Amino acid sequence: MKRRLASWLEYGILALIAVRPSLDWFTDWAAGSMRFNPAAGASLLLIAGAGLWLKLQPQITRNRLIAHPMIWVFGIWLLLLLPWGLLSPWLNGPPRSEALREWVRLVSILPVFGLALGLARQNRGAVVIHALLLSFIVPALTGLYQLIFQEGSIIQGVHRIRGTFVHPNPFSFYLVLMAGLAYWKLRTADRGVGWMLLLLLITGLLIATFSFTGAGMFGVAVLVCVLGESPRLRHAAVPALLVFALLFLLTPTGQKRLGSVMKWENLDEIERTGKETSSMVWRLLNWRFILRTWNKSPWLGYGLQSAPTVNPNRVDHGQGPGQDPHNDYLRFLLDTGLIGFIWFLAWLGFTGQALWRAAAAADSPPARRLAWIALAMYASWLAGSFNDNLITATAYQYCLWAVFGAALGEAAAQNGDGSESAS
């Protein structure tokens, strides 16, 4: 009975992860006077479901999973972050409810990683990857509809698709991840024509987001991924990236986006007049505000999710909350000060080290390729975090850490490193 319930929980959690990329549409969904947030509800269900799943596992399986170094490092990092969720009012930051909500959201990523790691150590990592690929159906169909019928978002006069996401940029992050998974299937499946077509579809949708952050992440992911491939595929990567760049930039929309980004203006003048400017100049100005604010509390920051409260650069012409940092490194510098920022970098560094060791140690070609793809996704995450809010793109983070868990678990299972057979 326990085994059957655990199996139901596994597939229920995987289904929840697969549905999560389609839930951003329903954030703050209203039904009469009642307001619901299915995305937040999904996070709480993940925490509860994964906790029960872990409890139902055999003791040896549970102990081995909990003892995994990445589980420990992730858990310790979350515990170290808790004071910035509890003490935010004393740090002159956001209300405690806002800071704790952000901490719980970050906590909900760990169960996703733990479940994927546990399944992959039972040689079931492919089940996780297939669940993530299934999650692409609704966002892909929505993105195609937006592309064909010119729906989506008009941002600074440019049409950009956003799928089921709130903005084209998080959709582009997600598409980069889906491209990596489609490539893994292309390299491991017996018949790769369908996966090649899927990869082309994902690339086309990525171009239609016209996200420079997503395009840069894609380039970084391709360059890192081919390091684990044969010299023939490495030589083919550069022409493929060149074609992608030309398709991105030579369309009328791409040229308009490029012209907007390349338009540089004086930051002092923009700050003084408040006039609209290009996205890149706006980011530089926003980062200036963030650093000024951080400098007033450099060691401890202001608490988790503090930018809407403390950033003087506000939305709606100064009438709304403070702008998000659009840089995850500056986000943690503002939220947790230098102390928490160092811990954030340590967490990132340990994650990269674990993935690198998995890529170097995996024996079988599928496990080794999955580890290299996970490493490529990790590198693209680090690169994209310089220019956008990747840590708050929850659906993307769930999928990303599911890939990390599958890659680390598959490498361990192939090497016989504490793996368990799937009963």
Side-chain angles (χ1 to χ4, degrees):
M1 182 64 184
K2 289 176 61 177
R3 186 177 301 170
R4 183 180 302 175
L5 180 57
S7 179
W8 289 346
L9 281 170
E10 287 169 3
Y11 287 105
I13 295 171
L14 289 175
L16 197 59
I17 296 170
V19 169
R20 181 58 184 83
S22 302
L23 294 182
D24 280 2
W25 253 358
F26 305 103
T27 302
D28 295 328
W29 179 44
S33 60
M34 301 290 291
R35 302 190 70 87
F36 303 94
N37 190 337
S43 297
L44 295 177
L45 283 175
L46 276 171
I47 295 172
L52 181 56
W53 172 81
L54 184 63
K55 179 68 176 176
L56 293 172
Q57 297 303 302
Q59 185 174 357
I60 186 172
T61 301
R62 184 167 59 248
N63 292 343
R64 284 173 174 171
L65 182 59
I66 294 174
H68 192 279
M70 194 65 233
I71 294 286
W72 272 88
V73 170
F74 205 146
I76 290 171
W77 179 66
L78 290 170
L79 285 176
L80 292 173
L81 278 183
L82 182 57
W84 282 283
L86 293 172
L87 304 177
S88 57
W90 284 272
L91 297 172
N92 299 312
R96 186 181 293 107
S97 59
E98 296 293 327
L100 278 176
R101 186 181 301 139
E102 174 63 10
W103 184 77
V104 171
R105 188 190 66 82
L106 292 172
V107 167
S108 69
I109 300 173
L110 181 56
V112 175
F113 171 74
L115 177 71
L117 177 66
L119 292 178
R121 290 178 70 161
Q122 299 172 5
N123 291 303
R124 298 170 63 198
V127 175
V128 178
I129 302 303
H130 292 156
L132 296 179
L133 288 169
L134 285 174
S135 78
F136 181 59
I137 295 174
V138 175
L141 293 176
T142 307
L144 284 172
Y145 173 83
Q146 294 168 351
L147 180 61
I148 294 169
F149 296 100
Q150 292 295 291
E151 297 288 338
S153 300
I154 303 297
I155 302 174
Q156 294 185 332
V158 173
H159 173 251
R160 302 169 61 186
I161 67 169
R162 56 187 178 90
T164 54
F165 291 75
V166 297
H167 190 277
N169 284 356
F171 188 33
S172 73
F173 314 154
Y174 172 76
L175 288 172
V176 171
L177 190 63
M178 290 298 107
L181 299 184
Y183 179 73
W184 180 73
K185 291 296 296 185
L186 174 65
R187 295 288 287 136
T188 57
D190 294 332
R191 297 181 180 179
V193 176
W195 297 111
M196 174 59 76
L197 293 175
L198 178 62
L199 183 57
L200 292 175
L201 170 63
I202 295 170
T203 306
L205 292 174
L206 178 59
I207 291 172
T209 64
F210 291 101
S211 167
F212 278 97
T213 304
M217 290 173 63
F218 182 74
V220 170
V222 170
L223 292 177
V224 174
C225 186
V226 298
L227 291 177
E229 295 289 1
S230 65
R232 180 175 58 87
L233 284 176
R234 292 179 195 175
H235 295 153
V238 174
L241 283 178
L242 182 60
V243 170
F244 173 82
L246 290 175
L247 290 173
F248 187 96
L249 296 175
L250 294 184
T251 61
T253 304
Q255 289 180 342
K256 193 171 182 179
R257 280 280 290 149
L258 181 63
S260 172
V261 170
M262 296 300 292
K263 182 181 179 182
W264 293 92
E265 299 177 88
N266 185 274
L267 291 181
D268 294 329
E269 180 184 353
I270 300 299
E271 183 177 352
R272 185 177 63 255
T273 61
K275 72 176 184 178
E276 187 173 345
T277 185
S278 70
S279 61
M280 194 65 245
V281 174
W282 179 88
R283 275 173 167 76
L284 292 173
L285 180 62
N286 191 49
W287 298 341
R288 174 194 277 188
F289 281 112
I290 293 289
L291 287 171
R292 282 178 186 167
T293 306
W294 161 75
N295 197 44
K296 298 175 183 177
S297 181
W299 291 105
L300 294 176
Y302 296 90
L304 295 178
Q305 194 62 6
S306 62
T309 301
V310 304
N311 186 4
N313 185 26
R314 299 191 170 271
V315 301
D316 298 330
H317 304 288
Q319 304 302 313
Q323 299 277 8
D324 278 335
H326 288 267
N327 181 310
D328 284 340
Y329 305 101
L330 291 183
R331 175 187 298 277
F332 278 93
L333 196 62
L334 181 71
D335 287 359
T336 62
L338 277 172
I339 295 175
F341 177 69
I342 292 171
W343 291 340
F344 173 63
L345 294 183
W347 175 62
L348 293 178
F350 191 91
T351 303
Q353 183 186 48
L355 293 172
W356 175 261
R357 288 179 173 176
D363 287 335
S364 70
R368 184 168 56 251
R369 289 193 179 105
L370 183 58
W372 270 105
I373 287 170
L375 195 60
M377 296 303 107
Y378 167 79
S380 70
W381 172 35
L382 297 189
S385 294
F386 279 103
N387 198 56
D388 224 311
N389 306 304
L390 273 74
I391 196 68
T392 58
T394 309
Y396 164 75
Q397 287 292 328
Y398 284 173
C399 296
L400 179 71
W401 282 92
V403 172
F404 290 171
L408 293 175
E410 282 289 327
Q414 293 298 323
N415 293 333
D417 182 16
S419 63
E420 303 87 23
S421 61
S423 301

